Amino acid sequence: MESLKIKDMAIGLRYGRLLLIGVAILGAIGIIGVIQRLGWGHKWTNSGSYIPWGLWVVAYAYFVGISSGSFLLSSLLTYVFRIHVLKKIGVAPLITAIIALFLGLISIWFDLGHMERVYYVFTRPNFNSIMALIVWLYTAYFIFLILELYLALRVAASDTPKSPLSRLSNERALRILGVLASLGILLDIAISGGVGALFGTVSARPMWHNPLYPIFFILLAMISGGGVLMAVVAFLYPMLEEEREAVLKSIGRVVAAIMIFELLLEWAEFSIPMWYGVYGEEIKNMKLILFGPSWWVFWIIHLLIGFVVSLVLIFAGRKTWQWGLAGLLITLGFAASRYYNIVIPGLITPVLPGLEEAFVDHRLRHEYVPSISEWLVFIFLIAVGVFLIYIANLLLVHGKFVQINLKEETKQ
Amino acid sequence: MGEGGEDYKKFSNKKRGVEGQQIGENGKKKKGQVIKREVLKKISSTVFASIVAPAILDEVVEASEGRNGVSIKLPELPPPQPNEDVLITMMRDLQKALQKPMEQRKWVMVIDLRKCVGCHACTISCIAENKLPPGVVYRPVIEEEIGKYPNVARRFLPRPCLQCENPPCVPVCPVNATWKRPDGIVVVDYKACIGCKYCISACPYGARTSDYGEYYSDGTPEKVQYEELPSYEYHYKWKRRKKRLLGIILYEQSPIGNVLKCHFCLHRIERGLLPQCVTTCIGRATFFGDANDPESLVSKLIAQPNVMRLKEELGTNPRVFYLM
């Protein structure tokens, strides 16, 4: 096998052992939460009958957003806006999308009261329900991603002499991939928008019942997915350093633009109902987000770290790790906090005042802070995700499947 | 698993429970089908019978197992009298309604807020009747304090499931595990519910709750036997159990993990008994009956001008009416 120049390896691959140790520690801590879930059901969760959805539903929306967003963003930029440099990241969005979708579905599976009945969504679906619809769409999306990855790897295999995959001629491949990409864009919009519709169609929750929610979720998906892509390209994907910079700059600027637009919509979402302070149920939820006990989620994590710091890093950054860090801050700061501030505050205001005091029980409360167990599961999923992305990228470099983008540099 | 399979099959079949009406609508006394007649006959007071019925319902349900179209012996009522207890009037209305096919009945509940004293007996009796675990309550009574001391008034608002005519909780279910029956009751198929809790989020009244598999005696030295007793919701004997393998939960038996809600004590009304909250209301503030019968007590009550319903602006068209 041809040897690679060390500078073309991403930081994460160069310091792979360190990364693996970190992931192993996170995974070892996080698995306690998984064991608690499997061994004791929902006993260690802090959700209840009045706030039925907690951190795992937030995680589900977040991971699914990353999945659809990473692929949607890269497809749009590559095929619609013709930013050709993004072709250099090849299968990175596909790998990210597959792994994130897997994590999202695991997360929501853990949240079910009857995990063993999950297949009922296929055997007795109610297609009037947004939830059933998007589960079917996830299935179609998953099949699509696998097919797309298989074809993409076969195209890449034409450059890899020892690849076990049969080669696919470029012309034919491009034709098939072109059709699939347009189908993929539609699926991505349906999935990310569908999660928004999952909340937006619930008229019982005034804050969620917002026609713009599907749009918010499409934008959020592209922001969170774009952030993850930036981190993957900066830290894990094997490619030439100049190309890495070019790709990061392109994605970074586009993600920044979408973030600004999303924030504009957020301003409209908050300011319109709150302007005169006249009674509206959603005002209570918004006041909670801005000035409630978890005010720092919005002001510190979402705005300061997620938005301001990451924008500074994107536009003033000179090194790839700075853009990678910006990507992490965007996805874990800006996007994750927004998902959290949509799901939880939407449920936290009582549908009928006085309900909590009418019958007192720890599962009948209108307060919610994720339990340690819930956090541990989330950490576990993050660790699994990073591990799988690392392994997938490692296979691309050292594995026999493909060697990408390094042809000229690796010839010695 | 629980018992009472035939009745439950009828309840949860694709016809959305239409066949379930067979219970109780045929008042003929057939040999071998009259259930525990002697037991009920011994109880002289009908009101008392309706209170203690849950205790003997175990036998009633088991006796009806495996029989299709079994007819249930309805409690015998005294002849109508002036100034009789409204409970007897309502039981008479109930029995009359049960003679009709299910789609011709429309169960409604009326709660007179002027009579409610906030004793919470309905809440507790409902929990006892349906063996509700922690985190699950079908009929909380919301207490409201109006004014400032010393000019203070209190108001109580019992909140069962409102059995909306246009229930927002039904279309969201991804697996068709919940639906509105022709007689107006919104039910949950415990064997189909996957526990996604989407319907809880979708209910504008907070009337759906989830069974987290807990017991009131958790953390105490002794598990109270009462908590192990089965419930009989939807004519089925539900035993809350967790199947484990090497300490890991393989699965939790329904209703653990399910979404639960008030069903107007369906298992009682189809046997001619009033919902437990109605029976135990010490102020006779809760009324129940068939709104399709213009002669019924509830029909007369909801025709009054001082009727209101919760969150009417949502268009849910609740079947629970409040008298102000």
Side-chain angles (χ1 to χ4, degrees), chain A residues 49-210:
Chain A
S49 286
Y50 291 160
I51 302 186
W53 289 345
L55 186 67
W56 295 341
V57 175
V58 178
Y60 145 77
Y62 174 59
F63 286 128
V64 167
I66 289 173
S67 176
S68 54
S70 61
F71 191 71
L72 178 62
L73 186 74
S74 64
S75 299
L76 281 178
L77 295 183
T78 313
Y79 297 106
V80 180
F81 295 100
R82 308 259 172 205
I83 302 177
H84 294 294
V85 70
L86 283 179
K87 281 186 180 165
K88 299 288 179 189
I89 58 173
V91 291
L94 276 172
I95 292 169
T96 308
I98 292 170
I99 292 168
L101 182 63
F102 169 71
L103 298 179
L105 295 181
I106 292 284
S107 184
I108 199 67
W109 187 48
F110 274 19
D111 196 67
L112 291 183
H114 281 284
M115 289 168 76
E116 79 284 0
R117 294 180 185 168
V118 67
Y119 69 93
Y120 284 7
V121 186
F122 298 103
T123 56
R124 43 178 306 159
N126 167 22
F127 288 118
N128 199 21
S129 162
I130 299 278
M131 190 180 279
L133 270 179
I134 55 174
V135 169
W136 279 65
L137 282 174
Y138 293 147
T139 312
Y141 184 53
F142 192 73
I143 294 167
F144 158 81
L145 286 174
I146 296 290
L147 193 65
E148 178 100 0
L149 181 66
Y150 171 70
L151 286 171
L153 288 180
R154 277 183 66 184
V155 172
S158 55
D159 297 335
T160 312
K162 289 178 186 171
S163 173
L165 293 169
S166 60
R167 295 171 192 189
L168 197 66
S169 74
N170 258 349
E171 273 178 36
R172 198 170 157 218
L174 284 176
R175 218 173 36 242
I176 301 170
L177 284 173
V179 173
L180 278 182
S182 31
L183 179 72
I185 289 173
L186 288 178
L187 266 176
D188 278 322
I189 291 172
I191 286 169
S192 48
V195 182
L198 186 84
F199 297 101
T201 50
V202 177
S203 57
R205 309 287 172 171
M207 196 186 101
W208 289 351
H209 197 43
N210 183 334

Side-chain angles (χ1 to χ4, degrees), chain B residues 87-98:
Chain B
L87 289 182
I88 297 173
T89 312
M90 286 189 285
M91 282 185 81
R92 195 171 288 115
D93 291 346
L94 178 69
Q95 294 194 1
K96 189 179 164 193
L98 287 173

Side-chain angles (χ1 to χ4, degrees), chain A residues 39 49 114 117 126 129 198 351, chain B residues 172 193 198 244 256 258 311:
Chain A
S49 286
H114 281 284
R117 294 180 185 168
N126 167 22
S129 162
L198 186 84
V351 283
Chain B
V172 299
C193 174
Y198 197 11
R244 290 176 183 274
I256 295 177
N258 284 43
K311 295 190 178 183

Side-chain angles (χ1 to χ4, degrees), chain B residues 110-288:
Chain B
V110 182
I111 300 170
D112 192 338
L113 297 183
R114 298 163 303 182
K115 288 184 177 173
C116 178
V117 295
C119 70
H120 298 265
C122 54
T123 311
I124 302 306
S125 67
C126 171
I127 289 169
E129 169 69 29
N130 296 301
K131 310 290 182 297
L132 303 183
V136 180
V137 61
Y138 288 171
R139 190 183 155 106
V141 178
I142 297 170
E143 297 184 11
E144 203 180 347
E145 202 166 286
I146 305 149
K148 282 186 179 175
Y149 180 83
N151 301 315
V152 185
R154 295 187 84 196
R155 189 163 61 192
F156 308 100
L157 184 94
R159 200 253 33 228
C161 170
L162 306 191
Q163 317 290 354
C164 306
E165 200 60 44
N166 182 22
C169 54
V170 166
V172 299
C173 177
V175 293
N176 286 306
T178 183
W179 63 89
K180 187 169 179 68
R181 285 164 39 115
D183 61 2
I185 298 178
V186 177
V187 291
V188 179
D189 184 347
Y190 284 176
K191 290 183 179 177
C193 174
I194 61 171
C196 69
K197 292 166 273 190
Y198 197 11
C199 56
I200 298 183
S201 300
C203 175
Y205 305 102
R208 285 179 175 247
T209 47
S210 180
D211 185 339
Y212 281 81
E214 294 171 333
Y215 295 90
Y216 282 107
S217 51
D218 280 349
T220 61
E222 192 183 350
K223 190 168 261 186
V224 183
Q225 255 192 338
Y226 161 81
E227 294 202 77
E228 299 281 334
L229 291 175
S231 73
Y232 293 95
E233 295 175 276
Y234 307 115
H235 305 295
Y236 194 78
K237 194 170 179 178
W238 301 102
K239 294 172 182 170
R240 296 173 79 240
R241 300 279 186 278
K242 295 174 185 178
K243 288 280 179 204
R244 290 176 183 274
L245 181 70
L246 303 170
I248 300 290
I249 292 177
L250 286 180
Y251 65 91
E252 294 167 312
Q253 283 183 4
S254 294
I256 295 177
N258 284 43
V259 166
L260 294 84
K261 67 179 283 299
C262 155
H263 36 71
F264 279 174
C265 283
L266 190 65
H267 56 284
R268 286 173 59 89
I269 58 176
E270 289 193 332
R271 282 165 172 75
L273 301 169
L274 291 166
Q276 190 65 286
C277 55
V278 178
T279 306
T280 52
C281 179
I282 60 162
R284 299 288 187 264
T286 304
F287 304 90
F288 180 81

Side-chain angles (χ1 to χ4, degrees), chain A residues 79 98 167 183 207 217 254 269 278 286-287 324 347 382-383:
Chain A
Y79 297 106
I98 292 170
R167 295 171 192 189
L183 179 72
M207 196 186 101
F217 275 74
V254 172
E269 185 200 11
V278 180
M286 289 167 179
K287 279 185 177 168
L347 291 164
I382 294 272

